[in-house]
Amino acid sequence: MSADTSDGTRHQRHRTSPRNVPGLLLSLQQDRFSGAVTIAGSIGGTIHLHRGAIRAIETPGAPTAEALLLKSRRIGEPEWDAACTAAGPDGPLDATLVERGHISAAELEILCVGALYDAAFVMALSTPDSWQVDREAPSPRLSHREGTDPRRLTEETSRRVRLLAKSLGSVREFGQERIRPSARATAGIGRLSARYRDILLSADGRRSPRDIAFALGRGVYPVMLDISRMKALQLIQPEPPQPPATAPRVAPRDPAAEPP
């Protein structure tokens, strides 16, 4: 089934067949599809494909390659803005970043692959409501050049979820849980690795593991993996839930019923 949007873009809607996103991606791989699949759900996102291979995934639940570069300070914002201007709106931003010496081609490719797998992991923590296939969707400016096989991506995503579930139980709930350092971690923070210290300094009782990943410019899965190990070492503890607010008294006062 297909539908025309108001802007004339041709979309294909898939709601009942294939039965799930991995099945859809395998079907699109067989068709050597180029375009995007937009997933609707509590953690939605857009999967970009080129001739059936997955080149990038964008979701609000995980940092993009751009966010990883800027938040981790691998590239400064002035250098990033200058590269975007030099490349133009549709130019090769990845090649421009490399030519200007801001990052090596190999490091940029590793970062794009990591962002892709991390986004797939985050999206796997929710059930999609529906999806939409668009052959004319614009490609992301930073992506995995060769693309990855849908089956390989699905297998790696399942492995990551299973690994965390062994120690955390519900990975989805843990990803939303606000955390803070334990007294033990605070006392011995100077003896911890820099990676653990960064997490502890970001765990202020208001941030979840996902929030910490965005703040540090790291992937959600690596941060959750570190936090699961820190939890086993009793360095991290969940923030106690806040008591519900007491509703204000709205009943009219009866002065005669009150004691003098």
Side-chain angles (χ1 to χ4, degrees):
M1 181 174 66
S2 63
D4 289 321
T5 60
S6 59
D7 62 358
T9 303
R10 193 74 175 178
H11 297 286
Q12 293 179 332
R13 295 182 182 274
H14 297 262
R15 292 187 180 275
T16 58
S17 179
R19 296 180 60 183
N20 52 38
V21 175
L24 171 66
L25 296 176
L26 289 175
S27 175
L28 294 175
Q29 182 189 36
Q30 294 174 357
D31 296 339
R32 295 180 63 79
F33 169 83
S34 293
V37 179
T38 301
I39 309 294
S42 58
I43 308 179
T46 302
I47 304 172
H48 297 273
L49 300 96
H50 179 68
R51 295 183 180 178
I54 301 172
R55 297 187 63 181
I57 300 178
E58 297 172 309
T59 172
T64 60
E66 175 184 345
L68 293 175
L69 282 171
L70 295 175
K71 282 290 186 179
S72 64
R73 299 181 181 178
R74 288 182 176 90
I75 296 179
E77 290 191 10
E79 291 78 13
W80 174 267
D81 293 339
C84 290
T85 301
D90 301 317
L93 179 58
D94 50 355
T96 303
L97 291 171
V98 173
E99 289 171 1
R100 288 173 167 250
H102 298 317
I103 190 171
S104 69
E107 184 181 1
L108 182 59
E109 181 72 357
I110 291 171
L111 185 139
C112 289
V113 173
L116 187 160
Y117 276 82
D118 193 54
F121 163 77
V122 170
M123 289 181 64
L125 302 182
S126 70
T127 303
D129 296 332
S130 63
W131 52 79
Q132 188 177 80
V133 178
D134 183 3
R135 293 184 178 275
E136 300 179 11
S139 300
R141 304 200 67 183
L142 296 179
S143 63
H144 177 19
R145 279 185 169 274
E146 296 182 2
T148 190
D149 179 78
R151 194 183 304 276
R152 182 186 306 166
L153 181 64
T154 300
E155 291 174 351
E156 174 59 19
T157 300
S158 299
R159 185 194 70 82
R160 294 183 177 193
V161 174
R162 288 195 306 269
L163 179 63
L164 285 176
K166 290 181 180 179
S167 58
L168 300 176
S170 173
V171 181
R172 180 179 181 181
E173 292 180 5
F174 179 76
Q176 300 171 347
E177 186 177 65
R178 296 181 301 167
I179 59 174
R180 61 185 175 91
S182 66
R184 178 178 181 178
T186 304
I189 190 171
R191 297 189 297 272
L192 299 175
S193 66
R195 198 172 70 243
Y196 283 8
R197 285 200 305 270
D198 289 343
I199 290 176
L200 289 175
L201 293 174
S202 299
D204 55 5
R206 296 187 299 272
R207 287 176 171 147
S208 67
R210 188 177 301 160
D211 298 331
I212 293 173
F214 274 93
L216 296 178
R218 294 183 57 195
V220 176
Y221 172 72
V223 167
M224 290 182 68
L225 188 60
D226 277 348
I227 293 176
S228 71
R229 294 165 177 165
M230 296 169 70
K231 187 176 181 181
L233 296 172
Q234 300 180 355
L235 301 175
I236 284 287
Q237 62 187 36
E239 179 70 13
Q242 297 294 324
T246 304
R249 181 177 178 180
V250 295
R253 295 176 59 187
D254 182 3
E258 294 183 358

